[in-house]
Amino acid sequence: MRLRPILAALLLASLATPGLAQIPAVPPPTEIVEKRVFEAATHQTRNGGTIANLRIGYQTAGTLNAAGDNAVLVAHFFSGNSHAFGRYAADQPPGYWDAIIGPGRAIDTNRFFVISSDTLVNLNVRDNRTVTTGPVSVNPATGRNWGTAFPVVSMRDFVEVQKRLLDSLGVRRLALVTGPSMGALQAIEWAAAYPEMIDRVMPVIGTGEVDPWMLNWLDIWEAPIRLDPNWRDGDYYAQGREPPLRGLAAALKIVTVHAQDRPSLARFGRRLPEGQDPARRLADRFEAESALDTAAMARAQASDANHFLYLTRANQLFLNEYDSTEAALGRSRARWLVVASPTDRVFMLDYNREMVATLTRLGRPAELVEVTGPLGHLNGVVGMAPVAGRIRAFLNAQP
C-alpha cells in the first residue's frame, strides 16, 4: 500500500520516508534504551515567563566517565522527539539516527555517553513515548490547559532546559553537540551559549541564520492553523470544542512537501485514485494530493496545533539574543563539521556554505560534508550512514 511510507514519513518529522528502497539498509541496533523523565518545579524562560511543573523526556546510552566530559548531546528535528537511537523494545523500531549511534558506530556508545531529549512544546505531545510541557499541559495556577497563555519559548530556551538536564546527569563537558534540522539550530545555539563547554559541533541540514526568506516560510507553514475557525486564537481545549485538525493537517502537508525533493514523491506520477477525475470535477484529486492529505490528517490527530505554532516561533527566534550570526558564531571555541544536503529545499546548501565561510573567517576549524540521496532535506534524518566515516574521523580529531 503506497500510503504506508508516507505515514512513516509524517511520523518522522522533518517528515522522512524510511520505507523507500533507495535508503541503504542498516544493521539492527544492539541497544535497548529506556525513556526517562526530567522534571523541575519551575523554569524561567528567556523572556521572563515562568513555566511550572516542567517535564521533558530523554534517553541515554553509554556511560559517563568520571570527568563528566565524554558526553554527546543529540537534539531532534521539528516534529521529532528523543528517539534518535536504539529501540525501546526488541520489537520496536529503531531511532532515526541508529545507523550512526551505537556500539562501534560513528558515535560510539562504547566511548561516549549519548543523551537525546524531547524539547518543550514538542509536536508529539499526544504520543505516549514523548514527554513535554507546552500549551496542552495544565497550568497549575488556573487548573486549565495553558493554551496560548503558555510563555513564548525560543531555541535558547530549549538549550537552557537541556543544560539543566545535563547538570542533573553530571555532565560537565560535551565532546559533541549535534542534531538534524531544528536539532542543528539547537546545536548552534549551544555553541554560542556555552562555548567553554563544547569541543565539537555538528549541525546537520541546518543553517546559521533564519533570515527573512525563512521567517516567511515558517509563517507559511503555520498559516492554515491560524485560518482554521476551530483554532479560536488557541482556545480550543474546552469540552465540546473541536481542535483545528484541518488547519494542522494542511500545515503538516506543507512541511512534508517542503522537506522532500522531487524524486521522493515521483512514485505517485500523475495517477488518479479510483473514481477521481480532476479534468472533469474541480473537487477531485490526484493520488499525490489525496495520499498526503490522508497521511497528514492521521498525523494531525496525534499532534497539537498550538504546539506546532510554538515550535515555529522557537525556530523564528533562533539566535535572537545576538546582534548577528557572526556575533553568535564568533563566541564558539569548537571544531565544526557542517553536514548539508545539496538538494535541501528548507535549509539550502547556500546557508551551510555561508556558515562555514563565516566560521573560517572567524578562525574556527570548519568543514562541509554533503549527505546525498533522494529525499532532499530528509537525507540528513534517514540517510546518514554514508557519512559515518567522516563523523568518526571528526570525533577522532583534536578539538
Side-chain angles (χ1 to χ4, degrees):
M1 184 177 180
R2 292 187 184 90
L3 184 57
R4 183 166 303 188
I6 304 173
L7 286 167
L10 284 160
L11 289 170
L12 270 173
S14 286
L15 304 166
T17 46
L20 291 179
Q22 299 99 317
I23 298 173
V26 298
T30 55
E31 291 188 295
I32 301 296
V33 294
E34 177 186 357
K35 191 66 178 265
R36 300 172 182 171
V37 179
F38 171 74
E39 298 180 285
T42 61
H43 182 77
Q44 297 298 311
T45 66
R46 301 296 288 184
N47 67 8
T50 300
I51 300 172
N53 300 339
L54 180 142
R55 302 174 80 241
I56 61 165
Y58 71 99
Q59 63 180 65
T60 68
T63 303
L64 185 66
N65 63 17
D69 64 359
N70 70 326
V72 171
L73 177 65
V74 180
H76 65 71
F77 45 86
F78 183 84
S79 54
N81 62 13
S82 68
H83 193 34
F85 51 87
R87 296 180 191 264
Y88 291 130
D91 60 347
Q92 295 293 306
Y96 61 89
W97 266 7
D98 198 73
I100 59 169
I101 302 174
R105 297 182 185 177
I107 302 175
D108 189 351
T109 52
N110 291 328
R111 175 185 175 191
F112 296 108
F113 177 59
V114 184
I115 311 105
S116 179
S117 71
D118 300 331
T119 61
L120 292 170
V121 300
N122 194 286
L123 185 62
N124 305 287
V125 65
R126 303 188 191 284
D127 168 33
N128 61 11
R129 290 289 192 187
T130 302
V131 181
T132 187
T133 304
V136 168
S137 305
V138 173
N139 179 353
T142 65
R144 301 176 58 207
N145 304 88
W146 276 96
T148 52
F150 193 79
V152 171
V153 292
S154 65
M155 207 61 60
R156 178 64 180 268
D157 283 304
F158 293 174
V159 167
E160 293 304 318
V161 173
Q162 291 163 351
K163 177 66 164 57
R164 294 185 70 176
L165 167 63
L166 296 185
D167 289 345
S168 75
L169 295 173
V171 173
R172 297 185 180 90
R173 190 168 189 85
L174 289 171
L176 173 69
V177 59
T178 184
S181 194
M182 188 181 80
L185 305 193
Q186 293 170 72
I188 296 166
E189 193 87 48
W190 260 99
Y194 293 100
E196 72 289 342
M197 187 178 170
I198 298 168
D199 292 332
R200 301 172 189 84
V201 187
M202 187 176 74
V204 176
I205 53 170
T207 178
E209 178 185 15
V210 173
D211 60 6
W213 187 82
M214 192 61 214
L215 284 173
N216 277 284
W217 262 113
L218 290 164
D219 184 58
I220 290 168
W221 284 11
E222 65 181 32
I225 294 171
R226 296 185 183 276
L227 294 172
D228 188 325
N230 286 340
W231 181 57
R232 299 173 180 265
D233 292 327
D235 185 16
Y236 54 83
Y237 298 114
Q239 187 173 2
R241 291 190 173 180
E242 293 293 325
L245 287 178
R246 291 183 65 182
L248 178 56
L252 288 164
K253 182 177 178 180
I254 291 171
V255 178
T256 304
V257 177
H258 192 193
Q260 298 193 42
D261 195 17
R262 293 171 60 199
S264 65
L265 298 178
R267 63 190 179 280
F268 291 109
R270 294 177 58 84
R271 290 189 299 273
L272 305 178
E274 185 176 353
Q276 298 284 295
D277 188 354
R280 297 172 64 87
R281 293 178 295 272
L282 193 62
D284 284 5
R285 314 284 281 164
F286 290 91
E287 184 177 339
E289 299 172 310
S290 62
L292 265 67
D293 286 342
T294 301
M297 180 55 74
R299 177 61 201 271
Q301 291 169 343
S303 306
D304 180 77
N306 281 337
H307 279 237
F308 186 104
L309 298 178
Y310 273 77
L311 278 174
T312 56
R313 179 54 53 87
N315 279 264
Q316 290 176 321
L317 294 174
F318 171 56
L319 295 181
N320 69 305
E321 299 185 17
Y322 305 95
D323 292 336
S324 65
T325 299
E326 187 158 343
L329 296 179
R331 293 175 52 80
S332 172
R333 304 175 191 173
R335 177 180 291 275
W336 291 66
L337 180 67
V338 176
V339 182
S341 170
T343 54
D344 194 338
R345 312 289 188 181
V346 181
F347 297 135
M348 296 182 295
L349 185 60
D350 284 352
Y351 280 126
N352 293 274
R353 287 173 172 161
E354 291 165 7
M355 179 164 52
V356 170
T358 300
L359 287 164
T360 302
R361 186 167 62 250
L362 293 167
R364 299 314 316 150
E367 60 179 314
L368 179 68
V369 173
E370 294 185 5
V371 55
T372 59
L375 297 178
H377 184 67
L378 303 184
N379 292 328
V381 178
V382 296
M384 291 291 285
V387 297
R390 297 295 295 272
I391 297 170
R392 192 186 306 274
F394 177 62
L395 287 169
N396 287 334
Q398 287 299 313

